[in-house]
Amino acid sequence: MATAQASTKPPDANEYGGDEISALVLDPGYSITRAGFAGEDVPKSVVPSYYGLIPQDYEHPSQPAQFKQLFGDNSIHTPLPNISISNVMSKEGVVEDWDTAANLWEYAITSRLTNAKPTPLASNGLNDPKPEGMDIEMEGVEDQDKPLTENPLLMTETGWNAGKDREKGIEIAMEHWGCPAYWLARNGVLAAFSAGKPSALVIDVGAASISVTPVHDGLILKKGTTRSPIAGNFISQQLRLLFSQTNPPIPLTPHYLISSKTAVDANTPSNATLRTFAPNKAPDPSFRHFQEERVLTEFKESVVTCWPGPGRLSGHSTQGGTNMDLARQHPGKPFEMPDGWNQMFPPLDRYRAIEGMFDAKMALSDASNPAPSPSQTIGALIQSSLSQVDVDIRPHLLAQIVVTGGSSLVQGFGDRLMHELQGLYPGTRVKLHAAGNVAERKFGGWIGGSILASLGTFHQMWISRKEYEEQGPGIIEKRCK
């Protein structure tokens, strides 16, 4: 899975972190960033990958001003004056803003794990009076201001991460945080490890993208890595289209706009008092969009369901007629919006919201949201991935499929995926491993990193600070394959 250092000398405790000090595992994603100590079951620090920006001068927001960055749930969900919301990651799942990403990751680690803070300038000893003629000892002062000087760091990355981005990660860890040792691992490999499989076909359904990664003996097969934007955010967009195309349109009012509300009957207009803001104090539209996504997430968790089959929703049932007619006979599910509006959502709408992930022609679309292509569906991604790997290992990978990612927690997703695979590969043994525990499904990559970094045999794999100083950031390409 990686290239070890060519040395028979046992790892030095100070150089590689040793057994006494727990390594840290950092797993950045588009929606959330996970951090915690190696050897633990779940990450202790789970923070949004979104961050807030507020101008320092509230009274004159139009003037050029310095912006303050806000991290964490408590900060970015508060409707502060002129607050805007951004994400450090691009929709491809790679870092877009490295400076802010470094600040966000440091917040995730130091605020909940190490509690390390830079030494105040007034108490670092440099300003203390010294006897005349005595030199000031500077050695070690710089490292006092670095938050991770005692913890090796294992960081995860996507299977398509570019070389320059890989080097940027080790630069931040070594130069900004002062890590004694570092390692970079592919999250597809780690998700397979978390399921106890050195070889697997990993299907990761995240917020921004879905990826299919073939892993063989701890190494990803890059040719077979495929990805598509038809993931969690796609389901949210399908819900927005569904709500807007319903007659009358379904209101989507986020929690922060509700001042008070009164209960109303189903399918009747809401009776809520909305919160108002002064013109120069209102949050940016990006803040409202972010808060609407929270409501859509609640809807996905409680109402959206995958069509259970047999066949696709657009197909014909075995009893005659269409599956859509059959779906209309299924029970609905109630849901109440933050402003009090509520209704029993019909089963066809519940199935339709996610059906586009499996069947492109069933996806809702409009002028600004075109329908996905058939090659972007889950089944097409799996077929494309397996077609790029050696024919001898395809049956082995189909028998070792690992499903991970928070968006795979939609009700019935595992069963629907199994039906889809059995239709694509009839007569082939297909076995799906989808952890029933919510934390294991959401944090699969992090858990695999926690297992890997806690192994005693892994200590020889770390890239030490000494090696980094000798060879520079290019060492990441040589060691972390």
Side-chain angles (χ1 to χ4, degrees):
M1 61 159 254
T3 306
Q5 59 176 357
S7 174
T8 56
K9 179 184 174 183
D12 180 72
N14 294 326
E15 192 172 346
Y16 291 93
D19 292 324
E20 306 83 18
I21 301 172
S22 286
L24 290 170
V25 180
L26 178 66
D27 180 22
Y30 181 86
S31 177
I32 56 175
T33 294
R34 303 149 284 258
F37 289 105
E40 296 189 345
D41 294 335
V42 293
K44 284 185 175 177
S45 177
V46 180
V47 300
S49 295
Y50 294 88
Y51 66 96
L53 282 176
I54 56 172
Q56 299 284 27
D57 187 357
Y58 293 143
E59 302 301 325
H60 306 91
S62 61
Q63 297 180 4
Q66 295 293 320
F67 286 85
K68 180 181 179 183
Q69 295 177 340
L70 303 175
F71 304 118
D73 284 310
N74 294 337
S75 298
I76 65 174
H77 294 309
T78 304
L80 298 172
N82 305 297
I83 184 173
S84 61
I85 301 295
S86 300
N87 197 310
V88 300
M89 310 288 279
S90 72
K91 292 183 178 180
E92 284 72 42
V94 296
V95 179
E96 198 169 46
D97 182 351
W98 277 102
D99 292 337
T100 307
N103 294 336
L104 172 67
W105 299 340
E106 185 173 331
Y107 168 83
I109 293 171
T110 59
S111 66
R112 309 190 184 192
L113 299 174
T114 64
N115 292 320
K117 296 179 180 178
T119 305
L121 295 178
S123 59
N124 65 7
L126 295 179
N127 297 317
D128 295 347
K130 301 288 182 182
E132 189 174 347
M134 185 176 184
D135 292 333
I136 298 176
E137 181 62 52
M138 295 294 296
E139 186 177 354
V141 170
E142 184 182 347
D143 284 342
Q144 289 178 6
D145 294 342
K146 295 181 178 179
L148 301 181
T149 54
E150 295 182 347
N151 300 93
L153 176 68
L154 184 147
M155 196 167 170
T156 71
E157 63 168 347
T158 61
W160 53 91
N161 201 21
K164 60 181 177 58
D165 291 333
R166 306 185 83 208
E167 293 181 4
K168 188 67 178 176
I170 192 171
E171 282 181 21
I172 291 173
M174 292 294 186
E175 298 177 15
H176 294 262
W177 298 341
C179 292
Y182 179 83
W183 189 259
L184 187 63
R186 312 278 189 179
N187 47 23
V189 173
L190 298 180
F193 286 172
S194 71
K197 302 179 187 299
S199 299
L201 187 69
V202 179
I203 302 173
D204 188 347
V205 191
S209 65
I210 175 172
S211 65
V212 179
T213 307
V215 178
H216 186 61
D217 289 339
L219 286 171
I220 68 165
L221 306 177
K222 278 193 176 182
K223 276 189 175 181
T225 301
T226 57
R227 69 182 192 274
S228 162
I230 310 303
N233 291 347
F234 167 78
I235 304 174
S236 296
Q237 193 57 47
Q238 290 287 288
L239 291 174
R240 288 179 184 271
L241 291 171
L242 180 67
F243 293 170
S244 64
Q245 293 174 8
T246 302
N247 189 19
I250 296 173
L252 182 57
T253 308
H255 291 275
Y256 81 96
L257 284 176
I258 310 301
S259 179
S260 63
K261 66 178 180 180
T262 304
V264 296
D265 293 332
N267 294 311
T268 59
S270 64
N271 185 11
T273 303
L274 299 184
R275 188 174 178 180
T276 58
F277 298 89
N280 64 335
K281 298 290 182 74
D284 186 80
S286 62
F287 180 81
R288 172 164 183 158
H289 185 274
F290 178 59
Q291 295 302 316
E292 288 174 351
E293 287 295 317
R294 296 183 72 195
V295 180
L296 294 174
T297 298
E298 294 173 11
F299 190 91
K300 285 187 282 187
E301 291 172 347
S302 57
V303 178
V304 174
T305 306
C306 289
W307 165 246
R312 293 181 172 178
L313 186 58
S314 60
H316 292 272
S317 71
T318 54
Q319 305 168 359
T322 66
N323 281 334
M324 292 181 71
D325 292 333
L326 185 62
R328 292 186 179 95
Q329 302 173 20
H330 292 187
K333 267 197 176 181
F335 187 81
E336 181 178 315
M337 291 294 183
D339 61 359
W341 183 93
N342 67 93
Q343 79 164 26
M344 181 72 72
F345 281 86
L348 193 58
D349 289 349
R350 294 169 51 210
Y351 299 140
R352 189 79 186 269
I354 194 173
E355 184 67 14
M357 293 180 71
F358 300 92
D359 186 1
K361 63 177 177 285
M362 287 299 293
L364 299 169
S365 62
D366 62 10
S368 57
N369 297 282
S373 67
S375 63
Q376 293 178 315
T377 60
I378 296 179
L381 289 178
I382 294 171
Q383 285 183 305
S384 176
S385 175
L386 290 176
S387 69
Q388 298 296 319
V389 303
D390 191 283
V391 66
D392 293 335
I393 66 171
R394 290 176 194 173
H396 181 62
L397 292 176
L398 282 170
Q400 305 283 345
I401 295 177
V402 174
V403 178
T404 187
S407 295
S408 69
L409 288 165
V410 173
Q411 184 178 344
F413 183 88
D415 292 339
R416 175 59 196 278
L417 181 59
M418 191 67 175
H419 287 312
E420 199 78 12
L421 288 167
Q422 288 173 339
L424 292 173
Y425 299 98
T428 304
R429 180 173 176 263
V430 178
K431 188 173 181 181
L432 213 63
H433 175 91
N437 184 293
V438 172
E440 289 181 18
R441 188 87 68 89
K442 289 178 70 175
F443 307 140
W446 186 92
I447 293 171
S450 174
I451 294 170
L452 183 63
S454 63
L455 295 175
T457 53
F458 182 72
H459 284 295
Q460 62 181 322
M461 309 300 294
W462 291 109
I463 298 173
S464 70
R465 168 178 285 279
K466 182 179 178 183
E467 290 172 307
Y468 173 78
E469 290 170 349
E470 289 175 353
Q471 301 185 43
I475 191 174
I476 202 78
E477 291 292 329
K478 300 174 186 175
R479 293 282 298 279
C480 302
K481 301 295 185 181

